[in-house]
């Protein structure tokens, strides 16, 4: 079981034989569920229209309802929610899991988007190798920080709105065409660099990935997957994908629109690149 922050759609979940809990959003006071009553297109339409959007977490009732229906068919559940540093979803799931007496194992995974998606594939691989839910949880938690995401935003408006940068810094940044490069490596969305213009921002992200490949992941390059996530148009995303693949040919590749929970804070037009160590095969 994972949540829609993994970027795995309900349709894809059916193909994989897994379950995806939709993340709830309040837009102008009305409740929407990601990929069920809210499409990516509708979300960005509302975001651009300056609707009042706030993220929420699945209610304990919805979590329990899903788990109970799954446990009618299966003995154990591995639950992989979004990073505990970005939402209290994980903490809530852990406290509910205590009631399930060893049948539900919640992974404090510290990941989101395509890095979280890869954790789901790793869990499926470990399950198919015959591991129990507790063993899978332990391995995923041991390897959880073996991933990086670097993101560049198109506009400072949403970082300002969320209080992540001051109005003065946003005003100066806009005038000077400053692009913050943000990083998720572990718990939170952190500042990584501040550069001028898209071209330099992209180069900064690709250089950061190269440094990770040559230093952090130097000994495990055969287990590395690269990926990208985006809130920009599909055309821009495909150009960005090509740039990444040209710079780093020969890697397995994951791609998906960035989860809406992150998009809320960074707005449309953003691009991200990731490197992820999959569990050793």
């Amino acid at each position: 079981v994972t949540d829609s922050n993994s970027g795995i759609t309900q349709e894809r979940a059916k193909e994989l034989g897994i379950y995806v809990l939709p993340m709830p959003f309040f837009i102008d006071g009305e409740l929407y569920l990601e990929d069920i009553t809210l499409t990516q297109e509708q979300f960005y339409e509302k975001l651009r229209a300056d609707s009042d959007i706030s993220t929420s977490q699945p209610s304990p009732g919805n979590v329990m309802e899903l788990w109970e229906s799954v446990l009618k068919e299966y003995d154990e559940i591995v639950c992989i929610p979004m990073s505990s540093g970005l939402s209290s979803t994980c903490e809530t799931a852990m406290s509910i899991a205590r009631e399930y007496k060893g049948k539900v194992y919640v992974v404090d995974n510290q990941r989101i988007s395509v890095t979280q998606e890869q954790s789901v594939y790793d869990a499926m691989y470990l399950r198919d190798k015959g591991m129990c839910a507790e063993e899978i949880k332990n391995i995923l938690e041991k390897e959880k920080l073996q991933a990086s995401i670097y993101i560049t935003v198109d506009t400072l408006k949403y970082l300002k709105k969320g209080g992540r940068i001051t109005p003065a810094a946003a005003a100066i940044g806009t005038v000077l065409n400053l692009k913050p490069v943000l990083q998720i490596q572990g718990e939170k969305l952190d500042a990584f660099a501040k550069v001028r213009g898209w071209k330099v921002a992209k180069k900064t992200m690709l250089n950061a990935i190269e440094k990770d490949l040559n230093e952090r992941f130097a000994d495990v390059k055969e287990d590395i997957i690269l990926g990208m996530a985006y809130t920009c148009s599909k055309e821009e995303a495909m150009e960005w994908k090509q740039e990444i693949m040209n710079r780093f040919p020969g890697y397995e590749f994951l791609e998906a629109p960035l989860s809406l929970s992150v998009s809320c804070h960074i707005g449309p037009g953003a691009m991200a690149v990731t490197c992820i160590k999959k569990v050793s095969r």
Side-chain angles (χ1 to χ4, degrees):
V1 173
T2 188
D3 59 45
S4 57
N5 282 299
S6 63
I8 298 173
T9 62
Q10 297 295 330
E11 193 182 343
R12 176 81 175 124
K14 284 194 184 85
E15 288 168 15
L16 293 170
I18 65 163
Y19 299 85
V20 173
L21 202 59
M23 293 304 286
F25 290 82
F26 284 95
I27 304 179
D28 295 330
E30 201 176 324
L31 176 67
Y32 292 85
L33 297 174
E34 184 169 5
D35 196 37
I36 290 183
T37 55
L38 180 66
T39 65
Q40 291 264 335
E41 293 73 26
Q42 288 167 329
F43 172 83
Y44 287 113
E45 223 172 83
K46 306 267 190 194
L47 198 62
R48 286 191 179 92
D50 278 335
S51 294
D52 180 24
I53 301 179
S54 59
T55 54
S56 186
Q57 58 168 311
S59 71
N62 288 350
V63 173
M64 290 163 78
E65 195 181 320
L66 175 61
W67 288 359
E68 275 159 25
S69 74
V70 173
L71 287 169
K72 283 177 187 161
E73 280 187 70
Y74 299 96
D75 300 326
E76 297 180 312
I77 291 173
V78 177
C79 177
I80 305 174
M82 72 185 286
S83 170
S84 58
L86 296 168
S87 165
S88 50
T89 304
C90 181
E91 201 183 322
T92 302
M94 283 178 156
S95 64
I96 299 170
R98 290 188 198 109
E99 305 296 314
Y100 284 78
K101 311 274 185 281
K103 286 187 172 182
V104 180
Y105 289 84
V106 178
V107 183
D108 186 2
N109 196 43
Q110 308 284 290
R111 294 189 182 187
I112 194 164
S113 189
V114 288
T115 60
Q116 184 183 351
E117 180 184 355
Q118 182 55 42
S119 293
V120 173
Y121 301 146
D122 287 340
M124 291 168 69
Y125 168 76
L126 295 170
R127 173 203 65 193
D128 294 345
K129 273 185 74 177
M131 291 191 186
C132 69
E134 188 175 16
E135 288 171 313
I136 295 171
K137 169 188 158 78
N138 291 341
I139 290 172
L140 293 186
E141 287 187 348
K142 195 174 123 213
E143 303 229 336
K144 65 187 178 184
L145 298 180
Q146 304 285 11
S148 293
I149 302 180
Y150 299 97
I151 307 171
T152 295
V153 302
D154 185 42
T155 168
L156 300 173
K157 174 181 169 180
Y158 299 92
L159 290 172
K160 180 181 87 172
K161 206 172 172 182
R164 288 177 184 270
I165 57 171
T166 64
I172 293 165
T174 302
V175 170
L176 297 178
N177 192 24
L178 290 179
K179 299 286 177 202
V181 176
L182 308 169
Q183 177 185 37
I184 304 175
Q185 200 176 78
E187 288 193 13
K188 293 192 164 49
L189 189 65
D190 291 316
F192 178 74
K194 204 184 289 175
V195 297
R196 289 183 79 165
W198 264 113
K199 205 173 172 183
V200 186
K202 285 177 172 182
K203 195 175 176 189
T204 302
M205 291 194 286
L206 294 175
N207 288 346
I209 289 288
E210 186 165 6
K211 189 170 190 285
D212 280 348
L213 292 175
N214 292 335
E215 293 177 14
R216 283 177 68 207
F217 299 126
D219 300 332
V220 290
K221 276 193 181 173
E222 67 283 358
D223 293 327
I224 295 298
I225 290 174
L226 295 186
M228 58 166 271
Y230 54 91
T231 67
C232 58
S233 71
K234 192 76 174 156
E235 295 72 39
E236 289 168 311
M238 289 308 103
E239 280 174 31
W240 175 226
K241 176 183 178 178
Q242 203 52 57
E243 280 184 61
I244 300 166
M245 292 177 89
N246 290 346
R247 178 84 177 257
F248 307 107
Y251 283 93
E252 268 186 72
F253 206 87
L254 277 180
E255 60 183 91
L258 203 56
S259 85
L260 300 184
S261 295
V262 176
S263 308
C264 262
H265 302 294
I266 60 175
M271 294 180 192
V273 59
T274 76
C275 60
I276 316 153
K277 180 192 170 292
K278 61 184 177 184
V279 297
S280 299
R281 297 307 195 239

